[in-house]
Amino acid sequence: MNSLLMKSLVKPVAATLSVVSLMASVCSADTTLIKDAKVHTLSSQGVLQSGDVLIEDGVIKSVAEDISVEADTVIDAKGKVVTPGIFALINQIGLVELGSQDQTADGQTEHEEQGASFRIDKVYNHNSTLVAINRSNGVTRTLVAPHIGANVFAGQGAILSLKDQYHPLLAKNVAIFTAFGEWPAEMTGGSRASVLFELNKAFDEARVYQKNRSAIEQGDFRELSYSTNDLEALQAVLDRKIPLLVSTQRESDILTMLDFAQEQNIRIGFIGAAEAWKVADQLAVAQASVFIDPMDNIPDSFESLGKRYENAAILSKAGVNVMFLGQGFLASHNAYTVRHSAGNAVAYGMDYEKALAAMTSTPAAYFGGSDDYGQIAQGFKAELVLWNGDPLEVTTLPQQVWIDGEAVNMENRSTKLRDRYKALDTDKNTGYRK
């Protein structure tokens, strides 16, 4: 427990069973009270300039300007800020260690029969160094997503908690990922038209499978191009239960995919979307969500020449549902820096609370978790971060992170290195000793 924790109003539990039993009668639940913080609730309560948050048994029991109850742990948070934990989106936390070493990466397959059905949540590594460093910097959950391999579909995304436990799955198959643009065209035959042909063929076959499932599974039907596993996976998209998320950049490509979604009657969202600002009104009308990196304004291809910092602000003001990605190649290893990206979006015109929501409550609502995560409200999961200042400032640091009401270990590989080498007058910084 760090130095922020004040002396509990209830004495710490002693080691003997009799005392434990006595404590149970005094305080029936594990409670933490955060006092006098600036609280961004992301709920109808708005921002409490000096608010209290009471956590009980892993959930938020109460949020108010003054809560006077006894608690196991009381934290003096005057001058500090509390927000929901960061929801890191569309990355490979727990699936990659070194991007240059294929044996440490599990987020992509070259198996041609595994496209829409490709799942990666089962191989999530909770001991990855990426988990600890992101968790201790404010990330409490992540949406992991596969990369495009040999199939036009990359596979399925899943939401996992960053708790220190095996397979902390919160929700599986929350979206299916694909791509449309320069690179997919090259992979599919040299033209965007070929990608569009494959996508239409897949969804047309998925509808055929929907109507003839039994005959197809018994082999009494004509041969289909896509595997039954992939066609089964696409049913959730056809039923509009989950979205198809498309990596694309160019204005005309976004419009083509909007037409495709309308023709197929499916929900669609866009990843990257460099030139989305040019079609903000069309995206708003179509209720298509956009996932962007607000720090990215450098075109790296012909299809992304229209990149600009104001993308998030323009889209948000047009009424588009905007959510934030991590920063380029840092999106997995340093997913927590998304809060710096949010600060950049605000600097270029986006509303502060909407920017904060874009990495907390907005994705929670989009992926079906709006009733228990993303807000600091009664009954919601206690996934919280206590910051020593404005969370969108680069120099601000998290003081404590909670997941399900438990204060997490704030140690990571970076802090271990810092502690090992900061004292140069000792032998602790030597690589070898007897």
Side-chain angles (χ1 to χ4, degrees):
M1 201 63 70
N2 67 34
S3 58
L4 284 168
L5 305 186
M6 296 174 59
K7 183 179 180 181
S8 172
L9 296 179
V10 178
K11 296 294 185 183
V13 178
T16 63
L17 182 60
S18 60
V19 175
V20 171
S21 301
L22 177 61
M23 287 296 297
S25 66
V26 174
C27 184
S28 60
D30 183 12
T31 54
T32 299
L33 179 59
I34 305 171
K35 294 284 294 180
D36 299 326
K38 182 177 181 179
V39 183
H40 291 271
T41 69
L42 279 300
S43 73
S44 58
Q45 283 188 278
V47 181
L48 304 180
Q49 295 300 325
S50 180
D52 298 350
V53 181
L54 178 64
I55 303 168
E56 182 177 296
D57 283 347
V59 300
I60 297 168
K61 180 73 172 180
S62 181
V63 186
E65 292 185 344
D66 185 20
I67 300 174
S68 299
V69 297
E70 292 186 345
D72 300 304
T73 305
V74 179
I75 298 171
D76 179 6
K78 189 173 184 179
K80 299 182 173 59
V81 178
V82 179
T83 69
I86 294 172
F87 189 168
L89 296 172
I90 309 178
N91 56 61
Q92 301 210 326
I93 294 174
L95 297 167
V96 63
E97 208 64 37
L98 298 171
S100 60
Q101 299 296 312
D102 289 345
Q103 62 269 38
T104 72
D106 293 299
Q108 178 180 337
T109 181
E110 297 298 325
H111 196 304
E112 293 184 356
E113 291 191 3
Q114 279 194 301
S117 60
F118 181 52
R119 281 184 61 185
I120 50 178
D121 58 277
K122 285 284 188 180
V123 295
Y124 173 85
N125 175 19
H126 66 290
N127 290 320
S128 166
T129 57
L130 278 63
V131 174
I133 197 163
N134 280 299
R135 181 177 58 216
S136 60
N137 279 285
V139 178
T140 57
R141 60 177 56 196
T142 182
L143 166 56
V144 293
H147 289 161
I148 288 282
N151 194 296
V152 70
F153 296 103
Q156 305 174 12
I159 300 172
L160 295 112
S161 169
L162 261 62
K163 294 177 72 170
D164 185 17
Q165 67 178 52
Y166 171 69
H167 199 224
L169 181 68
L170 295 172
K172 64 180 181 181
N173 191 20
V174 297
I176 289 181
F177 293 83
T178 186
F180 186 74
E182 292 177 1
W183 179 65
E186 182 179 349
M187 184 186 74
T188 313
S191 169
R192 287 171 170 81
S194 298
V195 185
L196 191 58
F197 171 79
E198 284 296 328
L199 290 172
N200 275 307
K201 183 169 70 174
F203 279 98
D204 289 347
E205 287 195 357
R207 284 195 171 83
V208 170
Y209 175 77
Q210 192 176 59
K211 296 176 180 176
N212 303 279
R213 183 182 275 110
S214 178
I216 292 171
E217 290 176 350
Q218 293 176 17
D220 297 329
F221 201 84
R222 66 178 171 85
E223 187 174 348
L224 300 175
S225 300
Y226 286 86
S227 70
T228 55
N229 286 335
D230 282 359
L231 297 176
E232 184 65 45
L234 289 173
Q235 299 305 308
V237 180
L238 284 180
D239 293 340
R240 299 180 64 87
K241 293 178 180 176
I242 63 173
L244 180 71
L245 298 186
V246 186
S247 295
T248 194
Q249 304 290 341
R250 196 172 70 178
E251 176 190 2
S252 63
D253 291 343
I254 295 170
L255 292 173
T256 298
M257 284 292 97
L258 280 179
D259 288 344
F260 167 77
Q262 186 175 25
E263 292 166 1
Q264 293 290 348
N265 190 28
I266 60 174
R267 295 168 57 199
I268 195 166
F270 295 99
I271 304 168
E275 297 186 347
W277 59 274
K278 294 182 178 180
V279 291
D281 291 339
Q282 292 96 316
L283 289 166
V285 170
Q287 297 183 325
S289 296
V290 176
F291 302 79
I292 60 174
D293 171 12
M295 291 291 283
D296 185 11
N297 79 327
I298 301 176
D300 53 4
S301 60
F302 287 110
E303 63 185 353
S304 61
L305 291 175
K307 280 183 181 177
R308 59 186 295 191
Y309 279 141
E310 294 87 351
N311 198 4
I314 293 171
L315 291 167
S316 181
K317 289 175 182 175
V320 178
N321 207 25
V322 176
M323 289 165 271
F324 292 150
L325 302 171
Q327 296 177 21
F329 68 94
L330 300 175
S332 296
H333 290 75
N334 299 98
Y336 64 89
T337 59
V338 67
R339 65 185 179 89
H340 306 158
S341 306
N344 202 58
V346 174
Y348 282 85
M350 190 172 183
D351 175 78
Y352 185 100
E353 288 299 307
K354 287 186 177 178
L356 196 55
M359 55 181 188
T360 53
S361 59
T362 301
Y366 187 72
F367 292 108
S370 61
D371 59 346
D372 68 356
Y373 162 77
Q375 299 178 30
I376 301 179
Q378 184 177 3
F380 277 57
K381 288 187 174 182
E383 291 186 34
L384 305 173
V385 185
L386 178 64
W387 309 91
N388 64 355
D390 184 343
L392 304 193
E393 284 289 348
V394 175
T395 53
T396 295
L397 293 172
Q399 303 296 284
Q400 185 59 60
V401 177
W402 290 268
I403 299 180
D404 291 343
E406 296 182 7
V408 308
N409 185 348
M410 299 296 284
E411 189 177 62
N412 58 55
R413 184 175 58 180
S414 298
T415 61
K416 289 178 179 177
L417 287 169
R418 176 201 64 192
D419 295 341
R420 177 172 180 175
Y421 291 107
K422 68 180 180 181
L424 299 177
D425 57 345
T426 74
D427 65 353
K428 292 182 178 179
N429 58 354
T430 58
Y432 167 77
R433 67 180 65 85
K434 292 182 180 178

